[in-house]
Amino acid sequence: MTTPALLPLSGRRIPALTPGASSFPHHRATLRLSEKFILLLILSAFITLCFGAFFFLPDNSKHKRFDLGLEDVLIPHIDPNKEGKLPGGQIIHGQGGHDEHRHREEEESLRNKIRADHERALEEAKEKLRKSAEELRAEIQTEKSKVAQDLRKQDSGKPLPPVPMPKVVGINDGDPGDPDVKEKRDKIREMMKHAWDSYRQYGWGHNELKPLAKKGHSTNIFGNSQMGATIVDALDTLYIMGLHDEFKDGKEWIEHNLDFSVNAEVSVFEVNIRFIGGLLAAFYLSGEEVFKVKAVQLAEKLLPAFNTPTGIPWAMVNLKSGVGRNWGWASAGSSILAEFGTLHMEFVHLTYLTGDPAYYQKVMHIRKLLAKMDRPNGLYPNYLNPRTGRWGQHHTSVGGLGDSFYEYLLKAWLMSDKTDTEARKTYDDAIEAIERHLIRKSNGGLTFIGEWKNGHLERKMGHLTCFAGGMFALGADGSPDDKAGHYLQLGAEIAHTCHESYDRTVLKLGPEAFKFDSGLEAVAVRQNEKYYILRPEVIETYWYMWRFTHDPKYRQWGWEAAQAIDKYCRVSGGFSGVKDVYSSNPTYDDVQQSFFLAETLKYLYLLFSSDDLLPLDSWVFNTEAHPLPVLHLGNITLPGSDARR
């Protein structure tokens, strides 16, 4: 029986059912198909030659000339007096019997040629039939490899247009000055090194790591492929921490091993935020061209996912065939708001770097379609059917399924150097509806963000929703009606609630979800909500709140979380999630998530660094914590952009 499994999607993540095993055909069946295919080819060639002989042999009774207009090339002209052509190539035509004699010789020559073709085809057919099954399979594999190699050469041969590199600042150092803070930062760096070295030793090339079993691990969001998700996700963290040897190892693996022509069905959202986001950030930080080239190659593989009646992309796409589909559990085959709404940042940068407007147009089309739709209570439901363009079930969440859609509206505005005012207005309207319908205070005075389900508010908040504290703080400046102070305060209240969810556990690590009713506040009730899988969202909010307020409690809270992770999640082979944060003897889930290196450790490192490391007026972080530079007005080359001085 298939059991529900939580799919630890990154950035903002989504629960899913684990699909069944992949159904590759048995190798014997594959062989039979290959043999039949070869025999059919041979027979078709033989029949073609026979029909060619029947229809195209010259008619002897009328001595007609066989003329394809290529005689100067294929049929030598015959001089009746001398053999061949006269000097200078002039052709002498004979008369009467001489013409007839010449025609006979031409016809005989053609007959001999066709006979020779017949014999050669028959010999090739016999040769094929004499070969063993293994030899035939090897031949087919060789031919397939050659075709794939040719295609790869074509892909890599496409030069990208030169574009002005956005000015990048604050990409290293960030020394906090205070020795105590520096010591904490060095500890975070050591934790990153342990996570990376363990992956390097036991899971290299696999998507993720099983730190207890000490072997590679993958989930259905990456299909059946070994695409090195942890390598791509960790690159920028390694770079800003100054771990340059480790960064170099990752770069070399990507250069020689990262291949997107694999028969794998992947999550468009996850591959976009982890792989494209990770590669683009690595490119901007290091200037290494290989990262840009790989990002563009992968982006081309994702574009077929948009081939739907509405232009709303499928959740999954096969990288080889381009065939897309949606998760079976998602409201009658709907696409998910947080997935199709979390493409804008990366796709705008792809258009900027390639000059190809397709990426920009795809995400702007999504925005325009959503702008035309009715929204119940001003809220965006989590599900949208890509075939009909209608909302699915009316469920709204700022946690899983909805979260990063709102985040990307704000960040589209920030990334455009605050010129994309349409994105900012859409964000402000959405947050106003969220505040009216979803944000409440508990009896104990904790501010929380509930979920709207079928007309009523569920008083539950997920760990994923805790990112919103940082989002409110980030969007405070530029709020309408002079509400900047209000939104900074709202961010602080969410940070406090999420800290309470950590502080009320035995391990001082937050549960996956927590409730605010029946006398229980900020506490998980169900067993399947008590786990912690190395998630970053609470620490992300601490970091944003630190940057905007410099209140020392955020560093204190971050250090508490770092110590708890190091104490309860660290094992000899890396870091693992735990199944129950309320148990003093927790069991491990045996997964080191790629987002632990991309997000959790990066946000902790930035929390204990000075503000001039990746300053927020120059960089915008995607939902997987990959920093992308602001595209200032002078650099904007997007189609239809009105960002001009």
Side-chain angles (χ1 to χ4, degrees), residues 392-579:
Q393 66 191 75
H394 285 188
H395 172 206
T396 296
S397 168
V398 185
L401 305 176
D403 44 19
S404 48
F405 164 71
Y406 308 102
E407 176 188 2
Y408 268 39
L409 290 173
L410 173 63
K411 290 180 175 179
W413 173 70
L414 291 168
M415 201 179 72
S416 72
D417 201 16
K418 302 183 179 178
T419 60
D420 187 352
T421 52
E422 179 186 78
R424 176 76 214 207
K425 173 76 166 63
T426 309
Y427 168 79
D428 289 331
D429 292 347
I431 296 307
E432 188 185 332
I434 284 166
E435 197 169 2
R436 189 182 309 122
H437 296 288
L438 305 185
I439 297 181
R440 297 286 183 271
K441 255 196 171 48
S442 72
N443 294 334
L446 295 177
T447 302
F448 68 94
I449 309 173
E451 297 190 9
W452 191 264
K453 284 189 176 177
N454 301 318
H456 78 278
L457 185 71
E458 188 175 11
R459 295 169 67 86
K460 181 173 89 170
M461 187 168 169
H463 192 290
L464 292 164
T465 320
C466 286
F467 92 97
M471 178 177 74
F472 293 144
L474 184 62
D477 186 24
S479 297
D481 307 322
D482 297 322
K483 290 174 80 174
H486 166 72
Y487 282 112
L488 194 60
Q489 176 60 29
L490 182 58
E493 289 175 19
I494 297 297
H496 173 64
T497 298
C498 293
H499 174 253
E500 285 299 306
S501 79
Y502 273 52
D503 206 42
R504 297 178 187 193
T505 69
V506 172
L507 305 186
K508 305 301 179 188
L509 291 169
E512 181 68 6
F514 40 96
K515 294 213 166 185
F516 296 88
D517 55 17
S518 307
L520 291 171
E521 297 196 354
V523 173
V525 177
R526 296 179 178 176
Q527 189 59 41
N528 66 357
E529 294 173 341
K530 295 181 177 179
Y531 62 86
Y532 172 71
I533 56 169
L534 307 172
R535 287 207 190 277
E537 290 77 21
V538 173
I539 294 162
E540 175 182 352
T541 279
Y542 294 165
W543 173 61
Y544 278 113
M545 292 308 303
W546 164 257
R547 278 280 174 105
F548 291 113
T549 69
H550 287 135
D551 186 328
K553 74 182 176 190
Y554 296 115
R555 276 185 168 168
Q556 179 56 38
W557 292 351
W559 183 238
E560 288 170 11
Q563 287 178 300
I565 291 168
D566 198 52
K567 183 174 181 181
Y568 295 111
C569 300
R570 186 177 186 131
V571 294
S572 63
F575 289 86
S576 169
V578 291
K579 294 182 179 178

Side-chain angles (χ1 to χ4, degrees), residues 625-638:
H626 295 308
L628 299 175
V630 169
L631 293 173
H632 291 287
L633 293 176
N635 289 332
I636 296 264
T637 56
L638 301 178

Side-chain angles (χ1 to χ4, degrees), residues 260-295:
F260 303 122
S261 60
V262 289
N263 184 20
E265 189 181 49
V266 300
S267 162
V268 173
F269 160 75
E270 293 289 343
V271 164
N272 175 61
I273 65 171
R274 298 198 205 201
F275 282 83
I276 293 180
L279 290 165
L280 290 176
F283 165 67
Y284 284 121
L285 289 169
S286 71
E288 297 281 0
E289 197 80 4
V290 62
F291 300 129
K292 177 171 75 170
V293 171
K294 291 285 185 183

Side-chain angles (χ1 to χ4, degrees), residues 301-314:
K301 298 282 188 180
L302 296 187
L303 286 180
F306 292 82
N307 295 336
T308 66
T310 58
I312 297 292
W314 299 115

Side-chain angles (χ1 to χ4, degrees), residues 72-86:
D72 282 327
V73 180
L74 299 175
I75 304 169
H77 290 288
I78 299 165
D79 178 6
N81 302 313
K82 298 180 187 175
E83 301 238 341
K85 293 184 180 180
L86 290 172

